[in-house]
Amino acid sequence: MVKIRLTRHGAKKRPYYRVVVADSRCPRDGKFIEQVGKYNPCSTPKLIELDTEKIDEWVANGAQVSDAVSRLMKQAKESA
């Protein structure tokens, strides 16, 4: 199954995340198919960049969106 989820990057206690499309069997920070966004909770204001067109394409093809990514999508729509 293909999932749209977050991968963690950055230094200790200074994380930033990438929103990626990955096989559910791959590890969290492992191999992914495509990067579709960024999220940086440490910046002020919080940076949320999502390519909603690509995310919608993947969902139409059967990808499952994780809870964290769905919350980010909701926040991005509210702030736009």
Side-chain angles (χ1 to χ4, degrees):
M1 176 188 303
V2 176
K3 289 196 166 206
I4 301 173
R5 63 186 183 194
L6 298 175
T7 62
R8 188 183 193 280
H9 295 274
K12 183 177 177 183
K13 300 195 183 208
R14 297 289 300 165
Y16 69 92
Y17 300 91
R18 293 181 184 163
V19 181
V20 298
V21 178
D23 189 325
S24 63
R25 296 171 291 184
C26 293
R28 179 192 70 182
D29 298 334
K31 187 171 80 170
F32 60 89
I33 301 169
E34 183 177 13
Q35 180 178 336
V36 293
K38 299 177 189 173
Y39 170 56
N40 188 349
C42 296
S43 65
T44 306
K46 295 179 180 180
L47 171 73
I48 302 173
E49 291 180 9
L50 298 173
D51 190 344
T52 54
E53 292 176 7
K54 285 186 181 179
I55 292 172
D56 291 339
E57 282 180 33
W58 279 104
V59 170
N61 288 331
Q64 298 289 317
V65 181
S66 71
D67 294 337
V69 174
S70 62
R71 276 182 267 149
L72 285 177
M73 290 172 63
K74 188 181 289 186
Q75 286 179 2
K77 287 179 184 176
E78 289 175 0
S79 65

